[in-house]
């Protein structure tokens, strides 16, 4: 806004061809010529807010003949004003707007000082020319005393034409000025009223009219109108406020009259309805007729029903305002318009979402929650304790922003059921969202509504399905999200799984809801570190054989029988048979395969029971059934007689007699008949380690710990190393390190004759990791590789009851590795009796169940020599010769 400023004695001049900038007005220009770029750079860019420049209008001499009379009109004799101009020859190639004009250029005598409100600098490609975009604000008028050239642009000696405060107060007391002010204000208010009716604008201008001095507001009003250059120059030369108000009133009145004429013309045109307008009018009349007839299947009735549904949804105030605005927009649209369906689907979703429907949280009873966890899950004491701690905090502070729990473990260990138990303890509904294979960011946060076919994210869709706004939401398989050109879902989850917001989240399609999030994953490695940092990881290891047995007897068998329409009177699976199933048919961390095998037994029993029930009928063979209720049996060949039952006898006993006769008890022969021959044998390790060059290692996979055999053999060759088994780069490097260590210690370990320094002389080594279809990688096979190579070169077998894990260095140090608990459980499942671990992994044995440790001998190794000492029968025979 224009304001009084103190002008310097000299200003840099920026010429405006056929344009005038008035005080209080704004203009945006783009400077591309050399002179204007230099002026902006030196006077505005480098001086920042302190920079001021002068704006002078210029015209060619050919255009001046029609202006002389106009500029002299209306210049009041009272103020001594006169239209003035100065002629400057451009024979010295003075440039205006970047062009050299050999003819005479007429510079206006009066201009306006301006300051920059916005500056932006750019570079054109490929020329590299610098350009500026400048937004200028006119401040006050000045008079040019002297015009000169400084470098590429002009400067002028100026004098301000602004009145002092005392002079302005004296003018405001003039009766003529008061009369002109009232006339201008009345005309301006009338114009503003017309604009408000037509364009719904004018409120800000009305505020300016009440606050700014009228002599300044006259320039602002006139600057917004379309008028000729002569009229603009006339306003610029009007220094006297009375002359300025008179001219501004005339221009405002003329603009007002032009608007009124345009309105009359528009009304006449609108009177002639086009074809589309006639159709719209007929549709409106048809709707009115249908309303009178009671026909409510019209689209507008659907919108009314949608509006009632939205009103009853209980949306928050900010969402309701947004929905109302969208509904008003929808009512103005025709069903044939492109955005009609997307807007309607959006509003229907808002109406369907459970804004106020919440699960009534019952008062937390920690003892009942603990009993529920013990009833639903066997073992997992550490995990249950963490869940109880979480629930205790929720009880003391219900609105606490708790952590995002992430259960990590192999498949089938109860991650999803634990999340369901948390929901049951809190009294909230439970919903599961599967993220496996999700590659689109919009699946998490929803599509933007500007897209065709936009939809909410999976989280909002889950809320719609569950029907409450505060469920416990499980984000299943969070480690299996992908990424492509459509975005990275893991990055979108950073906002959803923020511990500071673990009570609400935002969706681009609708808005936010209150949710408790729980996540599951099989392993943490694929999860991006920033996302992993937002969650509290709780690891669920695999189950021991004893734990699987208890789980099967207490949970799996009753559930399998119920799913197959059986009970214990139809099928009985003894505990000894369950042990055989665990030992011979399943070697997994979880219990899913165990449940599948039990289900196979139940299906076989279901077939037998169904066949027997079909065969049994009331006939002459009924006397063969032993039941006290059938004393009066039907005589052979006699007619059927009615039997009177005693009052104290349960009516179900008759069917019980049939059921008892068909009870099936599983034995070992039935296991082999239904499940096939045993898949696993405790003698597997002994059979495979019976020859030199084979050792037993322990590895960690997505499905828990596993036993990994390493086989090495030698053949005639040139000392090369061959590796097979779909190995990764890390495990290949471990094999090279192992071979290097063995070659360096070959003499000390008596692996080669004294005269033969190279243990690989004349032969190649081939190392293979069986199960070649499974990718393998990691450093924990280092000690296993060395043991296999030493066994090969020494032709001594490794102990079949011993397994090992650990990373090794070139100096023979055994370094700690991860996954110790899962690896020890895997060794226990495979019947291994002795496990060699790195000494620094001793602390990890605390997490291993005591029942497992009692059946294993744990051997700790600090150096590779300790591993070899324990891996062979009778210890290492070369240790006494070793110089290490």
């Amino acid at each position: 806004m224009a304001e009084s400023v103190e002008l310097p004695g000299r200003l840099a001049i920026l010429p405006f061809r056929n344009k005038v900038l008035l005080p209080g007005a704004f203009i945006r220009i783009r400077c591309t010529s050399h002179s204007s770029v230099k002026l902006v750079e030196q006077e505005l860019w480098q001086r920042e807010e302190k920079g001021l420049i002068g704006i002078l209008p210029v015209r060619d001499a050919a255009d001046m003949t029609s202006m002389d009379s106009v500029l002299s009109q209306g210049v009041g004799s009272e103020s001594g004003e006169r239209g003035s101009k100065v002629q400057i020859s451009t024979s010295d190639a003075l440039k205006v707007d970047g062009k050299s004009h050999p003819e005479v250029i007429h510079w206006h005598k009066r201009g306006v000082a301006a300051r920059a409100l916005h500056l932006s600098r750019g570079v054109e490609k490929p020329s590299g020319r610098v350009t500026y975009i400048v937004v200028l604000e006119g401040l006050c008028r000045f008079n040019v005393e002297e015009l000169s050239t400084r470098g590429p642009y002009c400067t002028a000696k100026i004098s301000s034409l602004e009145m002092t405060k005392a002079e302005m107060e004296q003018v405001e007391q003039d009766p003529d000025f008061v009369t002109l002010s009232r006339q201008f204000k009345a005309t301006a208010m009338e114009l503003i009223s017309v604009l408000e009716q037509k364009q719904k604008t004018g409120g800000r201008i009305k505020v300016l009219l009440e606050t700014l001095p009228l002599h300044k507001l006259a320039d602002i009003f006139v600057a917004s109108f379309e008028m000729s250059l002569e009229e603009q120059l006339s306003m610029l030369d009007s220094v006297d406020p009375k002359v300025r108000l008179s001219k501004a009133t005339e221009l405002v009145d003329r603009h007002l009259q032009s608007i009124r004429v345009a309105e009359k013309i528009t009304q006449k045109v609108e009177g002639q309805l086009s074809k589309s307008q006639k159709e719209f009018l007929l549709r409106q009349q048809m709707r009115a007729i249908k309303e009178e007839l009671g026909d409510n299947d019209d689209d507008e009735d659907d919108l009314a029903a949608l509006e009632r549904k939205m009103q009853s949804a209980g949306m928050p105030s900010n969402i309701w305002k947004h929905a109302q605005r969208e509904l008003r927009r929808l009512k103005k649209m025709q069903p044939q318009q492109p955005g009609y369906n997307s807007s309607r689907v959006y509003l229907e979703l808002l109406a369907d979402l459970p804004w106020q429907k919440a699960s009534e949280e019952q008062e937390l009873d920690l003892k009942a929650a603990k009993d529920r966890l013990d009833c639903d899950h066997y073992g997992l004491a550490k995990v249950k304790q963490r869940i109880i701690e979480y629930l205790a905090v929720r009880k003391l502070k219900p609105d606490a922003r708790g952590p995002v729990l992430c259960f990590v473990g192999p498949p089938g260990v109860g991650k999803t059921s634990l999340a369901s138990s948390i929901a049951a303890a809190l009294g909230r509904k439970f919903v599961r969202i599967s993220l496996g294979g999700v590659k689109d960011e919009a699946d998490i946060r929803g599509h933007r509504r500007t897209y065709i076919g936009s939809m909410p994210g999976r989280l909002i869709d889950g809320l719609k399905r569950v029907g409450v706004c505060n469920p416990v939401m499980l984000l299943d398989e969070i480690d299996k999200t992908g990424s492509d050109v459509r975005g990275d879902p893991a990055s979108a989850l950073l906002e959803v799984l923020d511990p500071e917001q673990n009570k609400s989240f935002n969706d681009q399609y609708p808005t936010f809801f209150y949710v408790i999030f729980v996540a599951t994953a099989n392993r943490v490695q694929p999860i991006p570190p920033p996302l992993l940092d937002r969650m509290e990881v709780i690891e669920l290891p695999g189950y021991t054989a004893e734990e699987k047995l208890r789980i099967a007897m207490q949970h799996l068998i009753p559930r399998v029988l119920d799913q197959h329409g059986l009970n214990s009177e139809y099928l009985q699976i003894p505990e000894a048979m369950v042990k055989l199933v665990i030992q011979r048919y399943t070697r997994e961390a979880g219990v899913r395969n165990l449940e599948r095998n039990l289900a196979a037994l139940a299906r076989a029993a279901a077939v037998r029971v169904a066949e027997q029930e079909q065969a049994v009928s009331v006939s002459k063979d009924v006397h063969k059934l032993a039941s006290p209720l059938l004393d009066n049996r039907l005589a052979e060949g006699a007619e059927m007689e009615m039997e009177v039952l005693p009052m104290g006898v349960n009516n179900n006993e008759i069917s019980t007699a049939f059921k008892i006769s068909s009870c099936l008890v599983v034995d070992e022969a039935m296991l082999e008949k239904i499940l096939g021959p045993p898949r696993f044998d405790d003698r597997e390790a002994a059979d495979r380690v019976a020859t030199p060059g084979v050792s037993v290692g322990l590895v960690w996979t997505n499905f828990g710990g596993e036993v990994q055999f390493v086989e090495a053999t030698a053949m005639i060759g040139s000392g090369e190393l061959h590796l097979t088994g779909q190995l990764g780069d890390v495990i290949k490097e471990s094999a090279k390190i192992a071979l290097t260590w063995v070659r360096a210690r070959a003499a000390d370990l008596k692996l080669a004759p004294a005269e033969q320094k190279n243990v690989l002389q004349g032969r190649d080594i081939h190392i293979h990791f069986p199960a070649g279809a499974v990718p393998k990688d990691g450093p924990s096979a280092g000690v296993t590789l060395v043991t296999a190579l030493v066994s090969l070169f020494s032709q001594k077998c490794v102990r079949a009851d011993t397994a090992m894990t650990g990373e090794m260095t070139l100096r023979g140090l055994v370094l700690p590795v991860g996954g110790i608990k899962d690896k020890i459980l895997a060794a226990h499942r495979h019947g291994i009796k002795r496990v060699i671990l790195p000494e620094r992994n001793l602390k990890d044995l605390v997490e291993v169940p005591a029942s497992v440790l009692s059946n294993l001998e744990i051997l700790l190794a600090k150096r590779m020599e300790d591993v070899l000492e324990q891996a062979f029968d009778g210890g290492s025979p070369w240790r006494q010769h070793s110089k290490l």
Side-chain angles (χ1 to χ4, degrees):
M1 197 60 62
E3 59 184 11
S4 299
V5 294
E6 183 178 355
L7 296 180
R10 182 172 289 274
L11 279 179
I13 300 300
L14 181 63
F16 269 23
R17 182 179 295 276
N18 300 328
K19 291 181 183 179
V20 175
L21 177 65
L22 293 176
F26 302 87
I27 191 170
R28 179 179 178 272
I29 62 173
R30 183 169 181 264
C31 300
T32 58
S33 65
H34 176 69
S35 59
S36 59
V37 168
K38 285 295 182 183
L39 184 146
V40 172
E41 188 167 5
Q42 296 179 10
E43 301 296 331
L44 297 179
W45 183 267
Q46 297 177 0
R47 298 187 181 184
E48 299 181 352
E49 297 90 3
K50 298 180 180 179
L52 291 177
I53 61 173
I55 305 299
L56 271 185
V58 297
R59 284 188 76 140
D60 298 333
D63 300 328
M64 288 299 298
T65 56
S66 62
M67 284 186 57
D68 294 336
S69 61
V70 177
L71 292 178
S72 60
Q73 293 177 1
V75 180
S77 58
E78 298 176 2
S79 63
E81 293 178 24
R82 58 184 179 87
S84 57
K85 51 190 176 296
V86 58
Q87 295 183 0
I88 298 179
S89 174
T90 57
S91 58
D92 56 349
L94 178 65
K95 293 184 179 179
V96 179
D97 289 341
K99 297 180 180 180
S100 297
H101 302 275
E103 70 273 21
V104 175
I105 298 299
H106 294 271
W107 297 68
H108 203 66
K109 186 75 173 182
R110 287 175 181 160
V112 173
R115 66 180 175 187
L117 296 181
H118 174 75
L119 275 172
S120 60
R121 184 177 183 178
V123 179
E124 293 184 351
K125 294 182 178 180
S127 62
R129 183 174 62 171
V130 177
T131 62
Y132 285 92
I133 294 178
V134 189
V135 178
L136 294 172
E137 178 190 16
L139 298 178
C140 60
R141 294 173 172 83
F142 62 82
N143 194 58
V144 177
E145 303 291 343
E146 178 185 354
L147 191 64
S148 61
T149 303
R150 188 179 75 177
Y153 56 89
C154 296
T155 61
K157 181 180 180 182
I158 64 169
S159 59
S160 177
L161 296 177
E162 286 293 296
M163 289 185 175
T164 63
K165 186 176 181 180
E167 291 174 347
M168 197 61 228
E169 289 177 354
Q170 184 177 359
V171 171
E172 290 175 351
Q173 295 175 1
D174 189 349
D176 295 337
F177 181 82
V178 175
T179 303
L180 287 171
S181 299
R182 291 174 181 171
Q183 185 179 0
F184 172 79
K185 190 171 183 179
T187 308
M189 288 297 293
E190 188 175 358
L191 175 62
I192 292 173
S193 300
V194 172
L195 292 176
E196 283 183 335
Q197 295 176 2
K198 184 178 180 181
Q199 303 175 357
K200 305 298 181 183
T201 60
R204 184 171 178 268
I205 302 177
K206 189 179 294 185
V207 174
L208 295 177
L209 193 61
E210 298 291 337
T211 56
L212 281 181
L214 291 179
H215 67 282
K216 292 187 177 181
L217 194 61
D219 289 328
I220 298 175
F221 259 69
V222 172
S224 62
F225 300 154
E226 292 183 5
M227 55 183 178
S228 64
L229 178 62
E230 291 81 5
E231 292 173 332
Q232 296 179 42
L233 292 174
S234 178
M235 279 297 296
L236 179 62
D237 290 333
S238 300
V239 179
D240 187 355
K242 291 187 292 184
V243 177
R244 196 185 313 161
L245 273 179
S246 177
K247 292 183 179 181
T249 303
E250 179 184 351
L251 290 171
V252 171
D253 184 72
R254 189 176 68 186
H255 190 68
L256 179 62
Q257 296 303 325
S258 65
I259 290 177
R260 288 174 175 171
V261 171
E263 285 181 347
K264 291 181 180 179
I265 297 174
T266 303
Q267 290 174 359
K268 290 181 180 180
V269 173
E270 288 177 351
Q272 303 173 354
L273 293 175
S274 63
K275 182 179 178 180
S276 60
Q277 289 172 323
K278 288 181 180 179
E279 290 177 355
F280 175 78
L281 181 60
L282 291 174
R283 288 194 189 98
Q284 294 296 111
Q285 293 175 350
M286 188 182 299
R287 288 175 182 173
I289 293 172
K290 285 187 176 182
E291 286 181 358
E292 293 296 328
L293 294 175
D295 189 359
N296 296 323
D297 59 348
D298 194 72
D299 185 66
E300 186 170 337
D301 298 323
D302 293 342
L303 292 181
L306 177 60
E307 185 175 8
R308 290 193 298 270
K309 188 176 181 181
M310 292 168 57
Q311 290 173 350
S312 61
M315 304 179 191
S317 58
N318 59 329
I319 305 301
W320 174 243
K321 291 179 182 178
H322 172 70
Q324 281 184 314
R325 184 168 62 251
E326 190 69 23
L327 183 61
R328 288 194 297 269
R329 176 173 171 267
L330 182 65
K331 289 180 178 180
K332 297 176 183 178
M333 300 171 65
Q334 294 298 317
Q336 296 81 11
Q337 289 183 247
Y340 182 86
N341 286 332
S342 61
S343 295
R344 180 160 183 168
V345 169
Y346 174 68
L347 290 176
E348 288 176 349
L349 175 71
L350 292 181
D352 291 337
L353 288 177
W355 298 97
Q356 300 293 336
K357 299 177 183 177
S359 301
E360 295 184 4
E361 295 191 29
Q362 56 193 13
E363 184 178 355
L364 279 175
D365 185 350
L366 294 183
K367 185 177 183 305
K370 189 174 182 180
D371 293 341
R372 175 66 182 269
L373 289 173
D374 291 337
C375 179
D376 293 344
H377 307 87
Y378 182 83
L380 305 176
K382 186 177 179 181
V383 177
K384 292 179 183 177
Q385 180 61 30
R386 180 61 188 90
I387 295 175
I388 293 298
E389 293 170 359
Y390 175 80
L391 297 177
V393 174
R394 298 283 306 183
K395 180 178 182 179
L396 298 179
K397 189 174 176 60
D399 58 344
R401 296 178 179 178
V404 179
L405 302 181
C406 180
F407 299 124
V408 177
V413 295
K415 301 184 293 296
T416 302
S417 57
L418 280 173
S420 177
S421 298
I422 293 177
L426 290 173
R428 294 191 179 192
K429 288 191 175 182
F430 175 74
V431 58
R432 173 181 171 271
I433 307 296
S434 178
L435 299 180
V438 173
K439 295 183 179 180
D440 192 352
E441 175 187 341
D443 283 338
I444 305 298
R445 289 194 296 194
H447 298 85
R448 297 190 182 275
R449 289 201 304 115
T450 53
Y451 298 157
I452 296 176
S454 58
M455 296 177 61
R458 295 195 179 196
L459 277 63
I460 289 293
D461 186 63
L463 285 171
K464 182 180 176 182
R465 286 189 284 110
V466 77
V468 294
C469 64
N470 63 339
V472 173
M473 184 172 289
L474 174 66
L475 303 180
D476 204 9
E477 309 293 351
I478 199 173
D479 58 328
K480 295 177 178 59
T481 59
S483 62
D484 58 10
V485 294
R486 294 171 291 179
D488 184 5
S491 300
L493 285 170
L494 291 177
E495 177 188 359
V496 176
L497 298 183
D498 191 342
E500 296 299 322
Q501 304 180 35
N502 190 21
K503 57 181 274 187
S504 66
F505 74 94
N506 294 311
D507 189 286
Q508 291 181 158
Y509 192 84
T511 179
F512 66 91
F513 283 86
Y514 301 100
V515 178
I516 293 178
F517 290 105
V518 180
T520 66
N522 292 130
R523 55 195 184 111
V524 298
Q525 285 79 7
I527 304 176
L531 180 59
L532 189 64
D533 182 63
R534 281 165 164 75
M535 301 184 293
E536 179 180 342
V537 175
I538 299 177
E539 294 187 355
L540 279 74
Y543 295 113
T544 64
E546 290 77 10
E547 289 175 337
K548 287 184 179 181
L549 179 62
R550 300 276 74 80
I551 292 172
M553 301 304 297
Q554 298 177 15
H555 300 280
L556 299 184
I557 293 179
R559 183 167 67 192
V560 166
L561 293 178
D562 181 68
Q563 290 174 351
H564 292 79
L566 304 173
N567 55 38
S568 58
E569 296 173 350
Y570 287 113
L571 176 66
Q572 294 182 3
I573 306 177
E575 188 172 312
M577 295 300 102
V578 177
K579 285 184 179 180
L580 288 180
V581 173
I582 295 173
Q583 294 172 359
R584 298 180 180 181
Y585 295 92
T586 63
R587 279 187 179 176
E588 55 171 349
V591 292
R592 284 183 181 167
N593 282 332
L594 176 59
E595 185 175 5
R596 292 189 186 100
N597 289 324
L598 294 176
L601 297 175
R603 289 193 298 271
V607 171
R608 178 175 176 181
V609 171
E611 290 176 347
Q612 285 186 355
E613 287 186 352
Q614 186 177 2
V616 173
S617 60
V618 179
S619 64
K620 61 182 180 180
D621 297 326
V622 172
H623 65 277
K624 297 179 181 179
L625 298 175
S627 174
L629 301 177
L630 301 178
D631 292 336
N632 299 325
R633 300 185 182 91
L634 297 175
E636 183 174 355
E639 297 182 354
M640 183 172 64
E641 298 179 359
M642 182 178 296
E643 179 184 12
V644 180
L645 299 178
M647 292 294 295
V649 178
N650 191 340
N651 293 337
N652 293 330
E653 289 189 10
I654 295 179
S655 60
T656 303
F658 288 91
K659 295 177 183 177
I660 294 176
S661 66
S662 60
C663 181
L664 179 64
V665 180
V666 177
D667 55 11
E668 189 171 351
M670 182 178 177
L671 282 182
E672 293 193 9
K673 181 180 179 181
I674 297 175
L675 302 182
R679 302 174 190 172
F680 305 103
D681 187 0
D682 291 341
R683 294 294 304 167
E684 180 183 8
D687 295 340
R688 299 184 69 167
V689 187
T691 58
V694 182
S695 59
V696 185
L698 298 174
V699 297
W700 186 90
T701 68
N702 296 342
F703 304 97
E706 288 292 340
V707 168
Q708 176 66 59
F709 294 93
V710 177
E711 301 175 350
T713 187
M715 53 192 167
I716 298 175
S718 57
E720 294 182 357
L721 174 64
H722 304 278
L723 299 172
T724 55
Q726 200 172 348
L727 309 179
D729 293 336
V730 177
I731 202 168
K732 290 179 180 179
E733 292 176 355
S734 298
K736 294 177 182 178
I737 293 172
L739 182 59
T740 300
W741 188 87
V742 172
R743 293 178 64 185
R745 307 308 194 270
D748 299 329
L749 297 175
K750 303 297 183 180
L751 300 181
E755 64 276 4
Q756 183 180 352
K757 297 182 179 180
N758 185 5
V759 73
L760 296 181
Q761 184 175 355
R763 56 182 174 177
D764 290 345
I765 301 298
H766 187 169
I767 298 177
H768 177 63
F769 286 72
V774 180
K776 310 171 188 68
D777 203 3
S780 61
V783 297
T784 312
L785 286 163
V786 171
T787 304
L789 290 172
V790 171
S791 172
L792 173 66
F793 293 141
S794 63
Q795 289 298 302
K796 295 183 180 294
C797 296
V798 180
R799 292 186 58 163
D801 61 348
T802 303
M804 62 199 72
T805 183
E807 180 183 0
M808 67 161 293
T809 68
L810 278 174
R811 300 298 180 185
L813 293 176
V814 180
L815 302 182
V817 292
I820 293 298
K821 182 177 181 180
D822 291 325
K823 293 177 180 179
I824 291 180
L825 292 179
H828 182 256
R829 287 196 301 269
H830 285 73
I832 301 295
K833 301 301 181 183
R834 303 167 76 244
V835 177
I836 302 175
L837 298 178
E839 188 178 58
R840 290 168 60 183
N841 280 122
L842 176 63
K843 61 183 183 298
D844 299 318
L845 296 178
V846 179
E847 300 179 358
V848 182
S851 59
V852 175
L853 291 177
S854 62
N855 294 325
L856 293 175
E857 181 183 359
I858 305 299
L859 307 170
L860 301 178
K862 186 175 182 180
R863 297 186 59 85
M864 195 61 228
E865 291 84 350
D866 301 332
V867 176
L868 298 178
E869 182 72 21
Q870 302 293 342
F872 294 93
D873 281 321
S876 173
W878 320 281
R879 187 173 180 82
Q880 57 183 341
H881 304 290
S882 177
K883 300 178 182 179
L884 302 175

